[in-house]
Amino acid sequence: MPKPPTENSTKRTDPSLPDSPQRLFFALLPDGAVRKRLHQLQKDLEKAGGRPVPEENLHLTLLFLGNVEADKVDAVRDIAAGIEGKRFDLVLDTLGGFRQNNARILWVGPSESPPALGALHQSLRRQVRKIGLRVGKGVYRPHVTLVRKADLRKKSPEDLEPDIQWTAHRLALIASELLPSGSCYKTLLEKKLSE
Ligand code: ATP
Ligand code: MG
């Protein structure tokens, strides 16, 4: 018997079909100035090779949902629309990498995660559970992925000391379609966090 898809399933989704599940995640989107600084950091990391995340796709994942059945997508939208949080500051000051097969992912993240960020993650997690979605129990490690498939033999510049000040106020619910050319993101809803 085929196994049921899990939340991390890469089952093909097709948003043009009304009943097709959608691969969803909540994210914070950088504004123009922060996006530019992230892009500059990608350029500074060019020596590490790999595939930079397209500038327009740069984001910080708040909660990854994976495939969500079509009949639950509206409820997820309502959760995003109902978020009442305040904007908060975070400082992206740490570069890191983690292995993925024979390559690695390079990311930048905060050395100190602001309490508001953890609270937002927990609140989203609680709410999606309430509508019957399963989300993994993994520890939340906020980061912005900069480069995929970086070459492990090439070292990334160690003299880089990022210091990106970010007032996060754009929360988005994003659908990600996995295409052979890479994932294609579509923002389903954007919610501004209040001042
Ligand atoms: P690609 O998979 O084509 O390299 P991608 O990782 O950007 O592109 P998705 O796999 O749809 O696209 O992931 C969307 C976001 O959710 C990314 O920030 C990704 O790092 C994160 N993500 C994906 N899978 C998980 C997971 N199992 N747990 C936590 N976060 C995840
Ligand atoms: Mg992925």
Side-chain angles (χ1 to χ4, degrees):
M1 212 164 61
K3 280 192 194 159
T6 66
E7 80 253 13
N8 294 335
S9 164
T10 51
K11 184 169 95 179
R12 188 81 164 76
T13 61
D14 182 352
S16 62
L17 298 175
D19 292 334
S20 178
Q22 298 208 48
R23 187 177 166 88
L24 301 181
F25 63 101
F26 292 103
L28 290 173
L29 300 179
D31 58 27
V34 172
R35 195 177 290 276
K36 273 207 188 95
R37 295 202 59 194
L38 290 166
H39 186 57
Q40 182 58 49
L41 198 49
Q42 289 179 306
K43 287 192 196 152
D44 297 339
L45 285 166
E46 258 166 13
K47 262 200 230 158
R51 184 161 57 86
V53 172
E55 192 180 342
E56 66 276 13
N57 281 359
L58 290 166
H59 66 275
L60 183 146
T61 298
L62 283 167
L63 184 66
F64 178 75
L65 304 179
N67 281 345
V68 173
E69 293 303 328
D71 61 358
K72 293 231 162 110
V73 172
D74 278 348
V76 177
R77 267 180 203 269
D78 290 346
I79 291 172
I83 290 287
E84 291 294 353
K86 282 201 164 191
R87 58 186 58 188
F88 55 87
D89 293 332
L90 70 163
V91 184
L92 304 179
D93 57 359
T94 307
L95 278 175
F98 61 84
R99 274 187 94 103
Q100 203 182 44
N101 303 320
N102 289 322
R104 65 177 169 169
I105 281 183
L106 300 178
W107 52 262
V108 64
S111 56
E112 274 182 48
S113 180
L117 180 55
L120 195 50
H121 167 81
Q122 288 302 341
S123 162
L124 290 168
R125 181 181 277 270
R126 252 194 324 272
Q127 294 188 69
V128 299
R129 283 214 165 129
K130 268 196 196 151
I131 62 162
L133 296 181
R134 290 190 302 152
V135 277
K137 287 200 187 108
V139 182
Y140 177 52
R141 293 208 173 81
H143 64 275
V144 177
T145 299
L146 299 168
V147 182
R148 292 206 157 83
K149 297 195 191 308
D151 190 333
L152 276 176
R153 291 164 305 181
K154 293 180 192 156
K155 289 184 94 177
S156 53
E158 261 134 30
D159 53 347
L160 284 181
E161 287 180 7
D163 182 22
I164 301 178
Q165 317 274 331
W166 180 4
T167 301
H169 65 280
R170 299 177 61 197
L171 183 149
L173 172 64
I174 300 173
S176 165
E177 194 186 357
L178 297 177
L179 300 173
S181 53
S183 49
C184 176
Y185 293 168
K186 183 176 162 203
T187 298
L188 300 185
L189 188 141
E190 186 174 325
K191 173 88 187 182
K192 291 263 184 289
L193 300 176
S194 61
E195 288 191 38

